[in-house]
Structures are given as C-alpha cells and as structure tokens.
Amino acid sequence: MPDVFADLVGQDEAVAELRRAAGAAAAVLRAGAADRAPALVAAGPASEAASEAGDTEPGVLDPSTGMTHAWIFTGPPGSGRSVAARAFAAALQCTYGTGCGECPGCHTTMGGTNADVRMVVPEGLSIGVGEMRALVLRAASTPSGGRWQVVVIEDADRLTEAAGNALLKAIEEPPPRTVFLLCAPSTHPDDISVTIRSRCRVVPLRQPPAAAVAEVLVRRDGIAPDVAQWAAAAAQGHVGRARRLARDPEARKRREAVLAVPRRLTGVGAAFDAASALIEAAEAEAEASVSEADATERAALETALGAGGTGRGAAGAMRGAAGQLKELEKRQKSRATRAQRDALDRALVDLAGFYRDALTMALRAPVDPVHTDTAALAGAGAQKWDAEGSLRRLEAVLACRAAIEANVKPRIAVEAMMLALWKG
Ligand SMILES: [Zn+2]
C-alpha cells in the first residue's frame, strides 16, 4: 500500500500542511506518553483544576502548533475532500510516521475498520440532530488505540441547523483526544455556519488539473493513457466521475445523450422532449445507484427482525418491525431524491461544459475544450451563436442549476432551460 496521501490528486500544498499537522499531533502524543499523566485523563476533575489555573497540560493539543481539533476541507465536487479527510485521519493513526500506508493504523483507517475513526456519510438530504448527538457522545470516549478519536463528516453542508449546533458545542469544548474533520464545498455561510467556521482550520483543495487526474487513473486503476486523458478532460477535474467515464459504458452513454441535447433542440416540442429525456435519464441513473443498496438493507433488517417467524411472540415482534421498516423506507426515499438531484446536476455540468466550449471558441480563447468529442459541434455553435449567444446559453444552464438548488421543481427548471437554449 502506498503512502496514504497518494490518491489526493494535484493537492501538494494541502498535503504538506496535513503532514506537518500529523507530525505535530504525534509530538503531542509523545509528550503525553513521556509524562506520567497523558491527555487521556484531561476530562477528570484534577486536570480541570490544572487548566483553570492556567497550567499547560503535557500531551494536550495547543492550537498554536501545527495541530488543532477541528478542520474543514473545502473544494469543488470531486476535488477529493473526503479522500483528504480520510488520508489525514490515517496519518493521525499512523504508528510509524505521518501516513506511511504500511502500519496497522494506516491500514485500518484506509480500509474503514479503525475503531477510532468514524466516517459520517449522510444518506438523505441532511444530517439530523439525533445522529449528530449520538456521534458527539461517542466521539468523546477514550480512543481505544491510544491515539485520536477522529470523526469525519462528509457533506457537512448538509447538517440541519440543530445538528450544526450540537456539533458546534463539541467543537467549542473539544474532548482532549478528539479531532473533527468536516468536508464542505466552501466556507460560504450557506455551506457552513460562521460560528463553526471560526473554530476550524480550513484546508482549501483546488480543482485538480486534467493531467494529474489522468495520471492517477493510469497508475492506480490501470486505465489506458488515451482513455484516461479523455475521461479526465470530460469530467472537468472530478476524479470519481473521470474513473466512472473511463470504466462504465453506461455512464459514457448517458453523457453522450446529454451532449446530444444541443442538436436536438429544433422546436418547442423538441425542447419539452429533451427536458423529459434529461429528467428520466437522471432518474434511471439514480435508480441504478441506490436500488442494490436498498434491497440489501431491507433484507438485512428483515433478517435481524426475524421476518417470517411463526413462534410465540412473532406477531408482537412484527408490529415493532413495521415501524423500523417504515423508518428505513423513509431514509431510502430521501437518499433516492438526493441521488436524483446529484445525477441531474452532473448532466447539467456536462451541458454547461458544451456551451463553455462554444463560448471559448467564439472568443478564440487559447484553452482546451472540455468535451473533445463534441468540439466540432461546439465550433459550429460558436459560428452560429457568436460569443453573446453562447454565453446566454451557458447562463441558462447555470440558472437551471441554481433554480434546482433553490428547490424549484426539477422538471419545471429543466423545461425553462431547454426553451431558453432553443430560443437562444
Ligand atoms: Zn502508518
């Protein structure tokens, strides 16, 4: 297994900072071990008295060093926010260095089995307060491996307000050995509350260059270099999407259908047809991505509840089970909605890439096209629409994304966009 940061593509500055922090964290642990009372006892009354007296506890985090209790990883989708958070978690659990990739701490963290690392992945549209309270409580316990309790919250922008407050409390008075790693698109107040932001150190990730993405696809996934280069450019810096495009023929087909939209817009009827096709394709993609997980979860729950039992007490057990099944269905429905939105958003990003290509060609800007395979079509559009017409179309796609983000019904937003694209 290579170094834990190896898959963090094109983020040299962030990796350097995280390594420094992991080194500082290890020094804190060593200081704690050298002293008779490591930080693990900091929650006891004696140490409270000590900190009130202003003594510096040996082995306790001092935010003025390279390490601190709360971090936010920001960057555009696909830039590797959760990859960075997981790698940093591994570096904190690393026995030999700052993320060697060889020791049990690195191995278990990267494999998702380390008892002191929790990855919180929201299944639905938001992370609720109940889930967050339970998490904060467990995060306060003593790390079983003697290092750090690490809580990674992917999509921290999906915290409900109440959940955010529960988290804030934990971040304001962090247990001595607990580290929170948050991932969010940006530090805009819409994504993360100002008060949480003010308690965290921010690690900005950038959109990785296509060449760096292609390199990792070749090295790690064994994808042919020409396919990797094409996929990296088409995915616009989104590493996971580039891998799917390179490997999954269905994903390529869906992308082709999206990029066929501009030439299909020949009238009002065609615009509405295109809108329906786009929505249905997003639904199909979402269905494919969640149906397997849904069935597995339901089967697991039914087995756990002893469905089909006929013995005494089975009827009572089934009444309780009905409630749990209902709860599961609710969660799955909310996950399906999220998956549909994500799929539709990816389609809109592809479409935006096409009009961006037309715009840069109309302006004769010296940049490579996003979609090399539809570059000729974008070139024809550039001639017909000129820069202004291309820009108006690009703006129509971006307005559609913004409308859906603001909870406009997707079908309505997409129909409005298609009409705008047709009219120009
Ligand atoms: Zn290690």
Side-chain angles (χ1 to χ4, degrees):
M1 190 180 183
D3 179 282
V4 297
F5 290 106
D7 288 345
L8 200 54
V9 185
Q11 311 290 354
D12 297 347
E13 279 171 42
V15 170
E17 181 179 0
L18 295 173
R19 272 193 207 289
R20 265 197 309 277
V28 170
L29 293 180
R30 280 195 299 275
D35 199 83
R36 41 110 215 128
L40 300 182
V41 299
S47 63
E48 257 167 45
S51 62
E52 267 162 29
D55 292 349
T56 310
E57 189 86 9
V60 172
L61 275 193
D62 175 356
S64 68
T65 67
M67 186 55 193
T68 185
H69 280 287
W71 298 72
I72 301 181
F73 296 84
T74 63
S79 57
R81 298 180 304 232
S82 57
V83 176
R86 183 188 291 261
F88 185 40
L92 290 174
Q93 307 295 8
C94 179
T95 322
Y96 300 133
T98 54
C100 66
E102 306 289 338
C103 72
C106 286
H107 257 285
T108 52
T109 306
M110 296 307 274
T113 58
N114 190 299
D116 295 331
V117 178
R118 284 189 191 83
M119 303 284 292
V120 183
V121 186
E123 302 252 294
L125 290 173
S126 60
I127 305 173
V129 64
E131 195 181 341
M132 184 52 67
R133 286 213 182 106
L135 191 75
V136 163
L137 208 62
R138 272 188 304 167
S141 61
T142 304
S144 60
R147 298 183 70 84
W148 305 97
Q149 282 279 7
V150 185
V151 178
V152 179
I153 303 177
E154 286 187 36
D155 301 307
D157 53 311
R158 293 181 193 168
L159 290 172
T160 62
E161 196 184 336
N165 288 337
L167 175 64
L168 177 62
K169 245 183 243 160
I171 292 181
E172 277 176 339
E173 289 173 35
R177 287 294 183 83
T178 305
V179 180
F180 290 94
L181 308 180
L182 281 53
C183 307
S186 74
T187 53
H188 189 278
D190 282 353
D191 286 338
I192 204 92
S193 84
V194 176
T195 39
I196 290 182
R197 153 79 188 83
S198 69
R199 299 275 172 174
C200 295
R201 191 174 302 170
V202 180
V203 181
L205 302 175
R206 56 197 186 108
Q207 179 170 311
V213 175
E215 189 272 326
V216 84
L217 292 186
V218 172
R219 172 171 57 77
R220 189 184 49 190
D221 302 309
I223 290 163
D226 53 334
V227 177
Q229 265 158 28
W230 166 82
Q236 305 180 56
H238 192 305
V239 183
R241 172 128 174 90
R243 186 176 308 117
R244 266 198 306 282
L245 282 176
R247 284 182 152 175
D248 179 5
E250 289 299 314
R252 281 201 291 275
K253 241 187 263 170
R254 280 191 292 266
R255 172 179 168 277
E256 275 163 25
V258 168
L259 292 177
V261 162
R263 59 173 175 267
R264 287 177 54 188
L265 294 173
T266 51
V268 175
F272 279 101
D273 287 348
S276 288
L278 198 67
I279 300 270
E280 279 151 26
E283 282 171 359
E285 182 171 347
E287 172 76 29
S289 72
V290 300
S291 63
E292 197 182 327
D294 282 2
T296 313
E297 281 174 6
R298 197 185 163 94
L301 181 59
E302 281 175 349
T303 307
L305 295 170
T310 52
R312 219 174 341 158
M318 280 314 284
R319 272 196 297 279
Q324 291 193 44
L325 276 174
K326 203 174 232 163
E327 186 59 33
L328 177 68
E329 276 163 13
K330 204 175 105 194
R331 227 172 41 231
Q332 292 183 338
K333 191 158 175 262
S334 126
R335 177 169 64 194
T337 307
R338 183 78 229 174
Q340 267 175 35
R341 284 198 195 188
D342 289 348
L344 185 56
D345 196 58
R346 271 195 298 279
L348 292 173
V349 169
D350 280 347
L351 201 54
F354 175 85
Y355 290 109
R356 170 219 176 259
D357 286 347
L359 177 62
T360 55
M361 287 176 197
L363 293 171
R364 299 180 194 289
V367 291
D368 292 331
V370 170
H371 302 299
T372 46
D373 40 359
T374 53
L377 207 63
Q383 293 230 313
K384 203 161 82 186
W385 307 323
D386 216 345
E388 258 179 58
S390 304
L391 179 60
R392 273 200 307 278
R393 287 170 173 84
L394 173 57
E395 281 173 343
V397 180
L398 299 179
C400 178
R401 286 185 80 195
I404 292 170
E405 192 59 37
N407 275 328
V408 172
K409 219 168 160 253
R411 182 172 291 273
I412 292 173
V414 171
E415 283 173 355
M417 174 191 76
M418 292 296 185
L419 286 173
L421 292 178
W422 167 62
K423 284 188 205 148

